[in-house]
Amino acid sequence: MVGRREAMTLRGASMTLQEFLESTYIPEHQLAPESIRQLRIAIGHFEQFAGQRDLTTLRHTILNEWLQANPRRWSPKTARNKLGAVLSVWNYAYAIEATETAPDTRRIRRIPWHRQSPDAWTIDDLRSIVEASQAYRRYLPSGIRICDLFAAFVWVGFYSALRPQDLFRLRVDQLSDRGEWVEQQKKHRKELLVQVPAWVIGFLRDRWPPDALLVWSWGMSSVSFYDWWWKILGDAGLRTTRRDGPQKLRRTAVSYGEAAKAGYGAMLAGHSPGSRVTWESYCDPRVVHGAREILLPDLRPETEQPRVLSTG
């Protein structure tokens, strides 16, 4: 934390919330790269609406106007997260005396939010997504077909239970059927054990160029990814709401993991044993109480699954 003299220097300077974030908040906090990215996005959205206001001019009224306008049509949960990011930086500025005005949380409008039960896809849904993607056989500049890339995205996303941002960064050489430790961007670089079936690894070995570094060798913008994602979901006859983004692959994996064995879903997600987060945010009760699998199900079409020979 900065000393009083440094605080006086900060307070005497004209500084916006974004400038304070970059010059002081980030250097003085141990943050994961993904947390930094989300803070920058939230502060950027606030300043797009409110203008680049000096720290000393921040008031609860402008926050209320921002939340009331909700220019980006956020869900209540997202709006709460954005507000929390702005308040976190503003509170720290007040704590180190970079501003004399503290956020008056009693006068900041409450965002109604009713927790929804987590929902996951079924195994048939996942197979439908992969099947729908097969209509798009065009090659990308990376030398990989769109259909193969989305199939691998579903398979690796399901078996690894990684968050989308970690899945996008996953290297081909990190895939292992015995398990490989993979760093998570969101959780202060905490590592997660990732294990995928040998058949998935074989699929990538056959379809990916030898010099491909990433599993997700997309080579285009995230906007174009989501355009394709929603298109393929629609082709598969599935819902296309904000709850059906790629994070749902992680909820599906955790739900089926917990159905296979109590605590296995939490392990897949990298949660502590018995974590409330696992059940409150990830486990679809319809899957957990309805599936009866010993391991995570085989996502291959039934015609491609190994045949069990009868001994009778």
Side-chain angles (χ1 to χ4, degrees):
M1 183 176 290
V2 300
R4 180 172 294 275
R5 179 174 297 177
E6 293 171 279
M8 293 296 290
T9 300
L10 284 172
R11 193 166 59 198
S14 177
M15 185 177 295
T16 67
L17 202 60
Q18 188 83 48
E19 290 168 343
F20 178 79
L21 172 71
E22 299 294 341
S23 67
T24 307
Y25 189 90
I26 292 174
E28 296 181 9
H29 289 76
Q30 185 178 356
L31 300 169
E34 179 61 19
S35 299
I36 294 173
R37 190 179 76 88
Q38 292 297 335
L39 280 168
R40 285 172 172 159
I41 290 173
I43 301 298
H45 286 165
F46 172 67
E47 291 196 342
Q48 283 176 11
F49 175 81
Q52 295 184 328
R53 307 172 71 93
D54 188 276
L55 279 173
T56 60
T57 67
L58 291 177
R59 297 293 186 272
H60 70 277
T61 51
I62 188 63
L63 281 179
N64 286 337
E65 290 172 11
W66 178 47
L67 296 173
Q68 178 68 34
N70 191 8
R72 293 177 178 267
R73 300 183 181 276
W74 290 318
S75 68
K77 180 179 179 181
T78 300
R80 284 163 64 104
N81 290 340
K82 301 296 184 185
L83 174 61
V86 172
L87 290 178
S88 177
V89 179
W90 184 0
N91 269 314
Y92 190 65
Y94 175 73
I96 66 170
E97 302 179 23
T99 178
E100 295 180 340
T101 307
D104 187 350
T105 54
R106 297 169 302 177
R107 303 182 68 183
I108 296 173
R109 62 181 286 122
R110 296 186 180 277
I111 302 171
W113 179 42
H114 303 287
R115 185 181 293 276
Q116 295 178 286
S117 178
D119 61 331
W121 283 304
T122 65
I123 297 306
D124 285 341
D125 290 339
L126 296 184
R127 288 174 177 155
S128 294
I129 296 171
V130 172
E131 183 178 351
S133 72
Q134 298 310 295
Y136 305 104
R137 310 183 76 80
R138 176 168 64 86
Y139 279 89
L140 294 164
S142 61
I144 303 169
R145 296 186 302 181
I146 291 174
C147 58
D148 293 336
L149 200 58
F150 275 91
F153 187 80
V154 170
W155 293 334
V156 176
F158 176 72
Y159 287 115
S160 70
L162 286 171
R163 293 178 178 83
Q165 59 265 38
D166 295 320
L167 191 56
F168 291 141
R169 297 182 177 94
L170 187 65
R171 301 193 312 271
V172 174
D173 63 11
Q174 290 178 302
L175 297 180
S176 169
D177 59 346
R178 296 185 177 183
E180 182 77 21
W181 291 100
V182 174
E183 187 180 86
Q184 299 180 90
Q185 296 296 313
K186 189 173 182 179
K187 297 296 180 180
H188 302 287
R189 300 187 182 278
K190 179 181 177 182
E191 291 187 325
L192 185 67
L193 186 64
V194 170
Q195 185 177 13
V196 298
W199 66 265
V200 175
I201 300 171
F203 177 85
L204 269 77
R205 187 184 303 117
D206 292 341
R207 310 291 178 95
W208 266 232
D211 59 347
L213 297 178
L214 299 177
V215 173
W216 184 248
S217 297
W218 180 240
M220 293 191 283
S221 70
S222 59
V223 173
S224 64
F225 161 74
Y226 281 100
D227 287 342
W228 278 98
W229 179 258
W230 302 127
K231 179 176 178 59
I232 290 172
L233 285 189
D235 291 348
L238 299 176
R239 191 181 65 182
T240 57
T241 70
R242 62 165 61 95
R243 290 175 60 81
D244 302 295
Q247 176 73 358
K248 193 169 180 176
L249 280 173
R250 178 170 162 86
R251 294 200 300 274
T252 304
V254 173
S255 295
Y256 274 93
E258 206 63 34
K261 182 179 179 180
Y264 183 39
M267 186 197 76
L268 282 171
H271 296 160
S272 302
S275 170
R276 289 179 56 188
V277 174
T278 306
W279 284 92
E280 291 180 355
S281 301
Y282 288 91
C283 286
D284 185 332
R286 300 168 302 173
V287 171
V288 174
H289 301 302
R292 291 294 180 268
E293 299 280 355
I294 298 175
L295 298 171
L296 287 179
D298 195 322
L299 290 184
R300 284 174 287 184
E302 292 182 4
T303 55
E304 295 182 15
Q305 293 182 23
R307 302 184 67 179
V308 178
L309 300 178
S310 174
T311 57

